[in-house]
Amino acid sequence: MDHSAWQKREKEENRRLRRLLGKVLRQAGLPPGDGRSLQILNLACGECREAETLVQVAADVQATTVSAAARPSAPPEIRLVGADIREREIQHAAERFASRKGVAFEFLAGDASQLSHHGQIGGAFDLTFLRHQNYWHDPRLWRRIFAQGLEKLRDDGLLVITSYFDKEHALATAALEKAGAELVLTERHDQSIALATPGKSVDRHVAVFRKKR
Ligand SMILES: C[S@@+](CC[C@H](N)C(=O)[O-])C[C@H]1O[C@@H](n2cnc3c(N)ncnc32)[C@H](O)[C@@H]1O
């Protein structure tokens, strides 16, 4: 595929992801917060190709859930932290997504199963996102990554995974529930784009979790 075909493909995948996330985050109830700030953690994000999509969709959903009376006149300050163990991918993300007024992008090359080593990340995220989690590649590692993603959430925050494969989605969902997450919803994406490997497609499934109360 040439560069412009890739760009077109990525744009379409992001358009579909935005529609999917908009729907499930509204259904699950993204925390309204104070309407002033919104923090998103994208773990194992690779090049974080969905960075702008996440910022836009989370801000849109939050804007519709904060009551008109409580809504501040200025849009929220948004912070997106993306982390992946691959330095090259993170470098690409950092080159591509520059912070601007009202939106801060931070990209971290490191092990997402050991976020405590990166104190600058902080906590109290509204949303933790793991796109195309890779649970069956190394279940023990991914259980630790899931636990870190949950720990970094505010009490009413949401953790969202997407998966390439049916079976991997079921395994990851069960592992998250075992790690103390409550499953809010899981859904087969009806506009998922098929990939060459049989049974594999882009954001084939999505599941939303919150911390057990
Ligand atoms: C299936 S890819 C998904 C990448 C990206 N989220 C996407 O949807 O294109 C899984 C990602 O997990 C990352 N990964 C594997 N082990 C990791 C770890 N210990 N900490 C952070 N990222 C890790 C890989 O580098 C890879 O980018």
Side-chain angles (χ1 to χ4, degrees):
M1 225 189 269
D2 66 24
H3 185 63
S4 80
W6 266 116
Q7 281 180 319
K8 217 169 139 194
R9 169 66 180 263
E10 185 187 283
K11 201 170 160 195
E12 183 56 25
E13 288 180 3
N14 271 319
R15 189 185 71 74
R16 295 182 191 208
L17 179 65
R18 183 171 175 169
R19 176 185 160 275
L20 178 70
L21 289 179
K23 184 176 153 208
V24 297
L25 290 176
R26 272 189 190 90
Q27 244 173 287
L30 185 71
D34 58 5
R36 292 187 176 80
S37 75
L38 179 57
Q39 291 206 72
I40 303 164
L41 181 61
N42 191 359
L43 293 181
C45 65
E47 293 189 7
C48 207
R49 293 174 293 120
E50 63 284 354
E52 284 292 353
T53 300
L54 281 176
V55 162
Q56 287 163 15
V57 77
D60 285 355
V61 173
Q62 203 187 50
T64 55
T65 51
V66 176
S67 76
R71 199 174 300 146
S73 49
E77 294 287 325
I78 302 175
R79 176 179 182 237
L80 181 142
V81 178
D84 197 282
I85 202 147
R86 296 190 196 165
E87 283 187 21
R88 225 185 91 215
E89 273 76 357
I90 283 297
Q91 198 186 323
H92 283 167
E95 283 162 11
R96 179 172 175 188
F97 300 105
S99 298
R100 55 178 186 268
K101 191 170 183 297
V103 182
F105 288 111
E106 296 168 32
F107 295 101
L108 175 86
D111 184 351
S113 72
Q114 302 198 30
L115 293 181
S116 47
H117 293 181
H118 304 278
Q120 75 276 25
I121 291 182
F125 284 87
D126 299 272
L127 173 66
T128 296
F129 185 55
L130 296 114
R131 189 178 192 193
H132 301 132
Q133 52 72 31
N134 205 193
Y135 181 78
W136 63 19
H137 181 69
D138 186 343
R140 281 180 55 184
L141 169 72
W142 283 87
R143 280 198 290 271
R144 289 201 304 271
I145 295 178
F146 292 158
Q148 293 280 284
L150 279 172
E151 194 186 306
K152 290 288 173 189
L153 278 182
R154 36 184 285 167
D155 285 345
D156 57 354
L158 297 177
L159 183 147
V160 176
I161 62 167
T162 76
S163 312
Y164 278 133
F165 297 97
D166 300 344
K167 178 80 179 158
E168 191 174 40
H169 189 71
L171 292 172
T173 298
L176 268 154
E177 288 185 282
K178 215 170 160 196
E182 182 186 325
L183 178 65
V184 182
L185 64 89
T186 179
E187 187 170 314
R188 171 72 161 87
H189 183 196
D190 60 358
Q191 288 193 9
S192 173
I193 298 171
L195 296 168
T197 306
K200 181 179 185 184
S201 60
V202 179
D203 301 310
R204 185 178 182 86
H205 292 270
V206 63
V208 183
F209 302 83
R210 61 174 161 241
K211 289 186 184 185
K212 254 191 202 123
R213 291 168 185 171

